[in-house]
Structures are given as structure tokens and as C-alpha cells.
Amino acid sequence: MLSTPGRIGVIAALPEELQSLLDAMPDAQAIERAGRTFWVGHLQGRDIVAVLSRIGKVAAATTTTVLLTEMACRQIIFTGVAGGLGPDVRVGDVVVADALVQHDMDASPLFPRYELPGLGVSHLHPPVDLTARVHEVVSEALSPQALSVNGPLKDVHLASLGLGLPRVHRGLIASGDQFVNAAADCDTLRHHLPGVLAVEMEGAAVAQVCHDFDTPYVVLRTISDRADESAHIDFPRFVRAVACRYALVMIEALLRPDRGS
Ligand code: ADE
């Protein structure tokens, strides 16, 4: 993605994340399609279309399809929050997807559980070199230096939210039309999908559309909860003070010309 020329579609899962992108895109112009507002403008000198995904797989698939077909985007970046499933994936960490699966896809006995009928696979993978590079760039963008008193994230007060420094993981994200908030459901996902790091509601749908259109994509998720009954942090405050800040810093870092974009 970083080296692919052309327009980039940036899909935000939360209105607050979209707003933080739009605040950095003063030239953005609105185009209405499919009941959505697509914001066409520039970020880090790149031609961008920013849009809210809406919640769930179908909504995300529609949004992605419009970006690829009507808005002529040549690559997609998705940013949002997710529930942490990996044993060392904590609230405030970030997961870069190197594989995505629809955890509610089950056409058995016609096809094996999780397999995408017609595609012959259950897991979809963004390009390997792309995720490796994204992991590197995002790790640097969220480094202790970036969060230190002189860094660009100096006003992100992690300790006051009870959070540690973010760790950036790379691995499997599971998507489904369900907000997971029970430990038993987490155990089931971990059992059936070994190595799964996070659960959310859109990423694998974006991956499937991008796969069909042979378009590179990146899915980034900041962990907002542990997807179980454990005490949740103040979600609106977390989104405002952490997730939105991380989303903008990560995306700007990915788009920066010195990154080879
Ligand atoms: N997005 C953020 N947290 C989530 C969860 N626990 N389940 C599904 N989607 C999420």
C-alpha cells in the first residue's frame, strides 16, 4: 500500500475518529452516496476519501465497495476499536491485521465452518510486506518517544485512564455481526480460531471486498475492551483521548511521503 500510487480510502469505525481525520483535512468536500457522506480531500499531501464505515459487515462492505468503484480508491486503510482476545493484548494496545476471518460465517455442511463460499479459504491476508511495513511504521508512531513530554502524543495521559504504553501486535482479527462481551464467547473464539488477537464487526468484510477487487488494504484496531465482563474503562473518554489520537497519528505516519507512499 505505502508504495501504491493513487487515491486512498480511509474508513473510520467511529464518528469521533472520522472527525479527527476531517479536522486534519481542511479542504475536504462532501459527496453523498448510498446514504453515506464521503469526504474527498488531502492528508499528508495524499489524495484521500474519508468515510464512516457504519457498524457491521454488510455496512462496511457497502462502504468499501463505493470507495473502490465510485470513488476510484486504489488502497484502503480501516481504523477503529476492537475487543482484545489474545492473552497479552491489553486495552490501549493496537492490532495490525495480518489475517482476517468472519467468525459468524458457517455454511456447514456445504462448506467447512468459516470458509468463504466461492473463495475456498476462511482467512484473508493483506499483502505480507505491507503488514510488516505497517507494523513497523505504527510501532514507531506510538513509541514511548512519541508519548513522551516532547512527542506528538504528549497530551495523551495514559496513566489517568489506567493504561500502560501501547504495544503494537500483528495477527489474526475475527469479525462478526455481534458485540462480544462474555468470557465464554471469547473462549469459544480462541478455541476455534487459534492465535486470534482481537474481535470486531467490520474488518473481514472490508478484506473480502478488497480481495474481490484485488486492492491492498490495512486494518488497524485500538483495543477498547477485553470482550468479556471485566471492568470497562470510560469508553467515550477512551475514544476521545486515546483511540482518536492514535488513529490520526497512525494514519498520518502511514501516508507521510518519507514512508515511501
Ligand atoms: N468493537 C470494540 N469492542 C468490541 C467487542 N467486544 N466486540 C465486537 N466489536 C467490538
Side-chain angles (χ1 to χ4, degrees):
M1 180 208 92
L2 298 170
S3 56
T4 306
R7 191 178 253 188
I8 299 170
V10 181
I11 309 177
L14 299 169
E16 297 87 344
E17 284 175 312
L18 177 66
Q19 192 54 55
S20 70
L21 292 171
L22 293 178
D23 290 346
M25 294 171 60
D27 66 339
Q29 301 285 318
I31 298 180
E32 305 292 328
R33 284 286 186 285
R36 292 147 168 81
T37 306
F38 293 82
W39 295 94
V40 181
H42 292 86
L43 196 55
Q44 296 289 321
R46 295 293 304 251
D47 190 9
I48 296 294
V49 184
V51 62
L52 192 62
S53 73
R54 296 208 185 163
I55 296 171
K57 293 189 284 111
V58 175
T62 302
T63 306
T64 308
T65 304
V66 174
L67 284 172
L68 299 184
T69 56
E70 294 203 39
M71 304 288 156
C73 292
R74 295 286 167 261
Q75 40 205 333
I76 298 291
I77 304 174
F78 187 104
T79 170
V81 296
L85 290 178
D88 60 346
V89 177
R90 295 183 301 219
V91 173
D93 286 356
V94 167
V95 177
V96 177
D98 70 6
L100 296 112
V101 62
Q102 294 178 31
H103 68 75
D104 53 359
M105 171 59 75
D106 187 358
S108 60
L110 303 178
F111 297 92
R113 187 171 183 186
Y114 304 123
E115 183 168 312
L116 299 166
L119 294 187
V121 294
S122 56
H123 293 42
L124 294 175
H125 303 270
V128 174
D129 52 343
L130 173 60
T131 47
R133 184 85 182 108
V134 169
H135 182 262
E136 197 182 310
V137 170
V138 166
S139 300
E140 195 185 313
L142 300 181
S143 65
Q145 291 77 3
L147 285 143
S148 70
V149 282
N150 295 320
L153 292 170
K154 58 177 178 294
D155 56 335
V156 175
H157 301 295
L158 295 171
S160 70
L161 279 155
L163 303 176
L165 287 169
R167 289 176 305 176
V168 183
H169 309 264
R170 182 164 32 139
L172 176 62
I173 291 182
S175 311
D177 289 320
Q178 180 194 5
F179 190 91
V180 177
N181 62 356
D185 293 337
C186 296
D187 288 341
T188 304
L189 288 168
R190 281 189 287 258
H191 176 74
H192 289 289
L193 299 168
V196 65
L197 295 184
V199 62
E200 37 85 312
M201 301 178 71
E202 296 85 17
V206 174
Q208 188 171 350
V209 175
C210 289
H211 171 90
D212 288 348
F213 284 90
D214 197 20
T215 300
Y217 61 95
V218 175
V219 177
L220 302 170
R221 292 286 186 169
T222 301
I223 301 302
S224 57
D225 55 84
R226 278 290 302 173
D228 58 15
E229 302 91 347
S230 64
H232 285 216
I233 55 159
D234 178 343
F235 186 76
R237 188 168 163 227
F238 175 80
V239 167
R240 209 177 45 247
V242 180
C244 286
R245 301 298 319 284
Y246 286 3
L248 183 61
V249 163
M250 291 189 290
I251 288 169
E252 287 190 326
L254 292 172
L255 298 175
R256 211 163 281 142
D258 61 339
R259 303 293 180 192
S261 56

